[in-house]
Amino acid sequence: MAKETPKVDPADSLIVSEVGPWASEKHARVQRYIEISSATRKKYVPPPSWHAGATYIELFSGPGRSLIRGTKTIIDGSPLVAFKAAQANVPFTQMHLNDFDAGNSSAVDARVRALGGAATCYNYPADVAVDKIVAAVNPSGLHFAFLDPYNLEGLSFDIIRKLSKLKVDMLIHVSVQDLQRNLDDYSKPGGVFDTFAPGWKAHVSANQAINSFRAALMKYWMDEIRKLGTMPAKGVELIVGSKGQRLYWLVFVSAHDLGQKLWEAIRDPMRQTTMDI
Ligand SMILES: C[S@@+](CC[C@H](N)C(=O)[O-])C[C@H]1O[C@@H](n2cnc3c(N)ncnc32)[C@H](O)[C@@H]1O
C-alpha cells in the first residue's frame, strides 16, 4: 500500500500532525501554566545577566501545528502555544524541543524561527534526548517540561528521574486508553511497565481485577515520583473525548509548594482529581 503523503499547513507548507479536538485541552493547561508562572519566571531571566535562565522543555514535541482530525482546522501545537504564551508575558531564555521524527523536529524548528524565536531542536528517542537536554541547561535555572507522548511506551521512568534533578515543574500526559488497551501486553516480563514503573512487580499484584490492578500501578508510579523528592499534585486532570471516553490524565509534578498552588489555580476543579480507573 502506498505511504500516505504527510499533510501540510497551507500557511507555511510544513507538515502537521493529526489530533483529536481534545488536544486543545492540554494546550490550554500549558498556556495557563506559562502565563500564571510568569512572575516566578521573571526572577530567573536576565537582566541581570547572571540570572540562571528559564527554559521550556519538550521531549515529544510534534511538528508545532496540527490538523484536527475530520476537519480543516489547523491549530498550534504545544511548542508554539508555549512560545507565544511566554513571549506575551516573560519569554523563556531557551526552548529545548525533541521529537524522534526528523520531519517533526525540523518543522517545529522552522515554525519557532518564523515567530522570531530560536529553539534548540533535537531528533532522538526521548530517553536519549533527556541526557542531552539536562546537560545543556543551567541546573540553577527554572525549567518547565511538558511530557506528551502518545503512549506509555515512550515514558520511561528514567526520563522523570533525570529531569527531577533540575529545578523543574513537569506536566505529564498519561494515556488512560493505552493503559486500558494494553495492560496484558505491558505487564509481561520486559514489557512497557518495566520501564514506565520499574520495580512494579514487587509492589503491585497482576492477579487482581483489572481496575484495581491499573489503580495500584498508577499509585505505585506516583509514589515512586514522590521518592524523587518531587510531588505529583493532588489534582490530576482527566481529559475525556466527545463521547465521554476516558483519554488521558494530565499529571502535574513539582517539588515546590508554589508550583502546586499555581496548578491548583488553573486546573479545572470540576474534573476528576484522582487516578481512579
Ligand atoms: C502526542 S505527540 C506530541 C504533540 C505535541 N506535544 C503537541 O501538543 O503539539 C507525540 C510526539 O512524540 C513523538 N514520539 C513518540 N515517541 C517518541 C519517543 N520515544 N521519543 C521521541 N519522540 C517520540 C511523535 O513523533 C509525536 O510527534
Side-chain angles (χ1 to χ4, degrees), residues 8 10 13 28 30 32 46-47 58 77 82-83 92 112 121 134 139-140 153 160 162 183-185 211 218 223 245 260:
V8 298
S13 306
V30 169
R32 288 289 294 125
E58 280 209 48
F83 178 81
F92 292 108
V112 174
C121 294
V134 169
S140 308
E153 200 171 350
I160 299 172
K162 287 173 178 173
L183 197 74
D184 284 347
D185 225 25
N211 282 8
M218 293 318 298
D223 286 346
Q245 68 277 34
Q260 304 275 347

Side-chain angles (χ1 to χ4, degrees), residues 65-195:
R65 298 270 289 161
S66 303
L67 174 69
I68 299 191
R69 212 168 280 121
T71 75
K72 292 197 166 135
T73 306
I74 295 182
I75 58 170
D76 281 343
S78 50
L80 265 63
V81 169
F83 178 81
K84 289 177 180 174
Q87 285 303 110
N89 293 279
V90 177
F92 292 108
T93 42
Q94 297 173 348
M95 293 182 87
H96 293 269
L97 307 174
N98 175 70
D99 196 296
F100 70 2
D101 181 293
N104 284 346
S105 187
S106 65
V108 75
D109 187 20
R111 285 183 166 127
V112 174
R113 270 174 216 291
L115 292 172
T120 308
C121 294
Y122 307 77
N123 177 211
Y124 299 102
D127 54 350
V128 175
V130 69
D131 290 328
K132 298 187 184 294
I133 294 174
V134 169
V137 302
N138 187 331
S140 308
L142 181 70
H143 310 284
F144 177 47
F146 180 41
L147 302 183
D148 186 26
Y150 287 127
N151 52 37
L152 300 185
E153 200 171 350
L155 195 56
S156 103
F157 195 77
D158 253 3
I159 289 176
I160 299 172
R161 188 172 56 72
K162 287 173 178 173
L163 285 174
S164 71
K165 305 240 184 296
L166 301 171
K167 198 179 289 178
V168 66
D169 289 343
M170 295 183 242
L171 187 59
I172 310 176
H173 168 159
V174 178
S175 171
V176 185
Q177 287 210 315
D178 193 34
L179 195 58
Q180 288 176 340
R181 284 187 192 139
N182 297 312
L183 197 74
D184 284 347
D185 225 25
Y186 284 4
S187 36
K188 287 181 184 149
V192 165
F193 288 160
D194 287 350
T195 47

